[in-house]
Amino acid sequence: MRFKDFHKNIKIRIVETFMSRFIGSMIFPFMSIYLAVHFGAKVAGLLLLINVFVGIGINFLGGYFADQFGRKRIMLMAESLRFLAFFTMMVCNSPWFESATVTFAMMTVNSICWGLAGPANQAMMIDVSTPPQRKLMYSITYWANNLSIAIGGIIGAFLFKDYLFELFLALSVASAVTALLVAFFIDESYSPIDLDMTPTQHVGKLISNYRTVLHDRLFVLFTIAGVLILSMEFQLTNYIGIRLSEEMPSQPFLYWEINGVQTMGILRSENTIMVVILMLFITKIPHNFKDRTVLVWSCFFFSIGYAALAYSNNVFILFVMMGILTIGEVFRVPVEQSYMAAIPPDDARSSYMAFNGLKFNLSMLIASSTVTLGAIFSSSVMAGIILAIGLTGTVILKVISPELDKRRNDVELRQKLRPVKAV
């Protein structure tokens, strides 16, 4: 299986997503600073919170709309609206005019666009791929996302303050290109049954759709496990980062003396660099392990690694454990996402993807809670709590893995009867 064997929708989305995230990473990680400068830190925090909740709410609507009206239609509407938002942000941060209020309003519009397009985009990638393709597809996507975010973030750190107008100009151009690609080169992957329904009937159908999603026991358990495992990843910039800055004494590393804050930065860089390098080879490494075995053991080492980071102050132990958990991460992500792709039925795929999109927000909530707990309990107790969270997710995956294999095998059988042709 090679990149050129993918459906053209997948090729276009991977290239386009890399370009958009590369430029977006120069801007959006630093927008909290922008808001704090213009509105104050307290108001900025509230504004960012509003953005998050708007995105969550629209995410559910986006999932429903993509199942009812088709993936491409919703994606095109969202990308066109996103271009207008970015263009307005560019104008409002130009040498001739500045408006932080309008800029924030357009940030909210961008959150709405993410909520609309996200489930449709994920569902389309599943629509036009076969189960054997998905591990490679998700590996390439994960690699591209990490690389674009890493490079974009570094460049943005130097350009954001003095070249914001130029960055928004580049983002507007990238957004316009994306909208044109969706309009003229992306194929519709799902044609829903055309039902003439009133707004009230749509509300009832939306509620019915998500009630069906919540009644899928396998999906709910898989999502809960995913939330618990993903919350490990956010510990580094929450509890672990705070603990290192407060507890870790300065110590020699190679030719330098580094403190806890610097250690956290180096650990994040180690993780990103290893993900980018290892993802190039991970699908080519031969092994005889079943996917369920890979998933469970990778989650186990992932959890052990973050528990060690929550306890140790030895710089070499920290770097070794980061290496171990990163190896677990690069094995876990493609397998986990390929299982996720096999769970939803065709006619509710976007709705499932919308609900699955909550994993990020719920994981952040858990990671934020550990910060509060860290002010009460010792680092050894916190390491135990973090380990328990990760191992609980691992055990859930172990228990449901036979059912996951069965669901995926059923999908593969249906795909053989109705194959997807690569373009």
Side-chain angles (χ1 to χ4, degrees):
M1 186 60 60
R2 293 164 296 179
F3 180 81
K4 71 175 186 177
D5 297 324
F6 289 144
H7 189 281
K8 72 173 184 177
N9 285 13
I10 299 174
K11 298 175 187 176
I12 292 171
R13 291 306 295 181
I14 289 175
V15 174
E16 172 274 315
T17 300
F18 177 87
M19 176 182 65
S20 298
R21 294 209 175 194
F22 171 69
I23 300 174
S25 296
M26 299 182 196
I27 300 173
F28 291 107
F30 309 99
M31 286 307 290
S32 58
I33 301 172
Y34 175 94
L35 294 175
V37 168
H38 287 86
F39 298 104
K42 291 183 179 179
V43 175
L46 180 61
L47 293 177
L48 291 171
L49 195 60
I50 291 172
N51 244 337
V52 170
F53 282 110
V54 167
I56 292 173
I58 297 298
N59 191 61
F60 286 109
L61 291 177
Y64 172 75
F65 289 155
D67 284 333
Q68 294 303 306
F69 305 112
R71 323 294 193 210
K72 179 175 177 176
R73 184 182 301 181
I74 300 303
M75 288 166 60
L76 181 58
M77 181 179 70
E79 296 300 344
S80 301
L81 185 60
R82 197 198 309 274
F83 165 71
L84 293 176
F86 290 158
F87 184 82
T88 304
M89 293 170 84
M90 178 190 71
V91 172
C92 291
N93 291 276
S94 67
W96 313 281
F97 178 69
E98 184 177 20
S99 174
T101 302
V102 176
T103 299
F104 169 72
M106 293 303 101
M107 285 179 62
T108 305
V109 171
N110 181 47
S111 294
I112 291 172
C113 294
W114 278 113
L116 287 173
N121 180 39
Q122 294 175 53
M124 176 178 278
M125 298 281 274
I126 300 172
D127 291 339
V128 298
S129 63
T130 61
Q133 291 177 324
R134 286 173 187 155
K135 276 192 288 185
L136 177 60
M137 179 182 76
Y138 287 126
S139 294
I140 294 174
T141 302
Y142 194 68
W143 172 81
N145 287 345
N146 274 273
L147 183 61
S148 62
I149 291 171
I151 299 175
I154 293 171
I155 297 174
F158 292 96
L159 300 182
F160 182 82
K161 182 179 179 181
D162 298 319
Y163 298 94
L164 187 58
F165 170 72
E166 288 80 2
L167 290 176
F168 276 125
L169 174 61
L171 192 60
S172 298
V173 172
S175 183
V177 171
T178 298
L180 291 172
L181 287 173
V182 173
F184 298 107
F185 296 96
I186 291 284
D187 293 334
E188 177 59 82
S189 63
Y190 175 70
S191 299
I193 300 173
D194 188 14
L195 297 175
D196 186 15
M197 294 192 295
T198 65
T200 303
Q201 289 173 320
H202 274 297
V203 172
K205 185 76 186 302
L206 183 148
I207 295 172
S208 175
N209 267 27
Y210 286 110
R211 184 183 296 122
T212 301
V213 172
L214 288 171
H215 285 168
D216 189 333
R217 171 186 164 275
L218 178 63
F219 172 74
V220 171
L221 289 175
F222 187 79
T223 302
I224 291 172
V227 168
L228 296 174
I229 296 296
L230 185 59
S231 70
M232 301 287 99
E233 200 166 318
F234 297 131
Q235 296 296 342
L236 185 60
T237 51
N238 284 272
Y239 169 73
I240 292 174
I242 294 172
R243 185 192 71 80
L244 289 174
S245 67
E246 294 178 349
E247 294 184 5
M248 183 177 173
S250 295
Q251 51 192 285
F253 175 70
L254 299 179
Y255 302 104
W256 300 280
E257 285 274 333
I258 59 173
N259 58 30
V261 175
Q262 293 166 333
T263 299
M264 186 190 75
I266 296 173
L267 289 173
R268 291 185 67 185
S269 299
E270 177 189 1
N271 176 257
T272 303
I273 293 169
M274 284 189 66
V275 166
V276 170
I277 294 174
L278 291 176
M279 274 296 181
L280 294 173
F281 307 102
I282 202 69
T283 57
K284 299 178 182 179
I285 298 176
H287 62 78
N288 297 318
F289 299 113
K290 295 180 179 178
D291 278 351
R292 70 165 95 171
T293 304
V294 172
L295 180 62
V296 171
W297 279 104
S298 62
C299 289
F300 174 78
F301 286 114
F302 194 68
S303 303
I304 292 292
Y306 272 109
L309 263 58
Y311 177 74
S312 178
N313 286 321
N314 184 293
V315 65
F316 292 103
I317 291 177
L318 292 173
F319 290 139
V320 169
M321 296 311 294
M322 175 56 80
I324 291 173
L325 72 86
T326 303
I327 293 171
E329 179 182 350
V330 296
F331 274 101
R332 171 182 63 85
V333 171
V335 176
E336 181 183 37
Q337 292 185 317
S338 68
Y339 273 127
M340 179 66 240
I343 295 176
D346 294 350
D347 61 347
R349 190 164 279 156
S350 291
S351 298
Y352 273 73
M353 292 299 105
F355 196 89
N356 184 61
L358 287 178
K359 286 201 310 187
F360 178 88
N361 303 97
L362 295 176
S363 298
M364 280 295 295
L365 181 62
I366 292 175
S368 300
S369 299
T370 59
V371 173
T372 303
L373 293 174
I376 302 172
F377 299 112
S378 66
S379 57
S380 57
V381 173
M382 289 304 302
I385 292 173
I386 290 172
L387 179 62
I389 291 172
L391 292 184
T392 300
T394 304
V395 170
I396 293 174
L397 290 174
K398 171 67 175 175
V399 171
I400 66 174
S401 58
E403 197 173 346
L404 287 172
D405 279 336
K406 183 178 183 304
R407 183 80 65 100
R408 191 168 66 176
N409 290 338
D410 291 343
V411 170
E412 289 181 358
L413 181 60
R414 290 198 302 270
Q415 288 278 357
K416 288 178 182 178
L417 299 175
R418 181 171 47 84
V420 176
K421 294 182 180 180
V423 176

